Amino acid sequence: MSRSLKKGPFVDEKLYRKVQRLNVANQHVPVKTWARACTIVPEFVGHTFQVHNGKIFTDVFCTEDMVGHKLGEFSPTRLFRGHSNKKEGIRKS
Amino acid sequence: MPRIAGVDIPDKKKIRYALRYIFGIGPKFADDILSEADIDTDRRSGELTDQEVSQIASIIDSGYIIEGALRRQVQQHIQRLKDIRSYRGERHRRGLPVRGQRTRCNARTRKGKRKTVAGKKGVRGH
């Protein structure tokens, strides 16, 4: 179910203030963040975020197209390296 | 046989249902179009006059995205998700369910026919 329109998009308060400060200072430095649930708002465009995926920080450069998506969508939490082939599987066990 | 929007030739059915054979027109749009054209929804599509058919066609032309154009639009939306490297785009690329369904079993619609891996079960020597 989608979020109530009344509330508006969820934007991490602290992250938003930080980006606003950067915008005022006209700076573009990567911002480390754990706020994966934070929606990307137009103010974020052009900034690089380092979004935590539980292990490492993934670099996410925000473009116009990403507005409306969440930061977490661009920092995958799972890594699938493919299935082991038969021989390898036996050797392992 | 009336031809509306290119190749669609629904016949003998009530116009209300016949219109749904066009990709992009469902129950709601079919009724919307007919009320706009002021045509009785219960009439058979084969009984419509040429004028009524062209009227329907012009309404569809002016306000609805259908068939090829709609298919292209859907593809564009998917392509956008892929281009921005979002999670959903990645799922599309891999041909896996996009909306968080389980993939341990089932999910055959997206994954296609089962690819059996020989000796996966029980062959493992300890």
Side-chain angles (χ1 to χ4, degrees):
Chain A
M1 195 169 70
S2 49
R3 188 181 158 90
S4 153
L5 282 176
K6 184 186 79 182
K7 298 184 198 174
F10 170 77
V11 181
D12 191 74
E13 205 54 43
K14 219 176 150 187
L15 184 65
Y16 183 74
R17 269 186 274 133
K18 193 158 190 175
V19 171
Q20 285 292 42
R21 268 206 305 279
L22 287 178
N23 276 339
V24 170
N26 215 358
Q27 272 182 320
H28 287 274
V29 290
V31 184
K32 261 192 187 179
T33 181
W34 284 258
R36 297 170 54 82
C38 178
T39 310
I40 296 172
V41 289
E43 287 89 332
F44 287 9
V45 171
H47 286 280
T48 305
F49 294 89
Q50 295 183 312
V51 185
H52 198 60
N53 70 359
K55 188 178 179 186
I56 55 160
F57 291 91
T58 317
D59 280 341
V60 175
F61 176 75
C62 288
T63 60
E64 194 113 15
D65 269 345
M66 293 183 185
V67 171
H69 290 262
K70 310 262 177 169
L71 283 174
E73 287 184 52
F74 305 99
S75 176
T77 55
R78 275 175 270 201
L79 176 72
F80 178 65
R81 282 244 188 80
H83 293 296
S84 63
N85 66 41
K86 195 179 157 192
K87 277 176 192 163
E88 243 178 338
I90 289 169
R91 222 175 282 148
K92 257 183 216 160
S93 54
Chain B
M1 271 196 181
R3 277 173 74 97
I4 297 169
V7 270
D8 299 281
I9 322 166
D11 198 24
K12 276 188 179 163
K13 287 177 186 285
K14 288 178 178 173
I15 182 67
R16 186 180 184 199
Y17 303 107
L19 276 184
R20 296 192 207 165
Y21 281 69
I22 302 167
F23 183 81
I25 293 179
K28 177 166 192 304
F29 282 173
D31 286 353
D32 284 355
I33 291 164
L34 289 175
S35 76
E36 204 184 319
D38 205 18
I39 294 170
D40 186 10
T41 52
D42 284 339
R43 298 207 7 230
R44 305 280 159 181
S45 63
E47 295 167 2
L48 294 179
T49 64
D50 284 351
Q51 200 211 334
E52 282 166 328
V53 171
S54 65
Q55 195 189 353
I56 289 173
S58 73
I59 288 169
I60 290 174
D61 253 1
S62 63
Y64 297 87
I65 304 167
I66 51 158
E67 290 294 333
L70 181 58
R71 278 180 237 265
R72 229 172 300 126
Q73 195 185 55
V74 171
Q75 275 314 312
Q76 272 167 16
H77 292 327
I78 292 173
Q79 194 55 47
R80 196 192 118 244
L81 291 173
K82 287 178 181 172
D83 288 343
I84 61 177
R85 301 191 52 80
S86 76
Y87 180 75
R88 282 174 62 199
E90 220 48 49
R91 300 297 281 184
H92 273 293
R93 198 169 291 149
R94 293 199 162 169
L96 289 167
V98 175
R99 300 186 179 176
Q101 298 98 321
R102 70 149 48 197
T103 53
R104 180 173 182 161
C105 61
N106 297 334
R108 287 339 302 191
T109 307
R110 289 287 294 174
K111 286 164 99 175
K113 244 185 146 43
R114 279 173 210 283
K115 302 172 275 278
T116 311
V117 180
K120 196 183 177 187
K121 237 186 194 174
V123 180
R124 289 219 178 112
H126 290 282

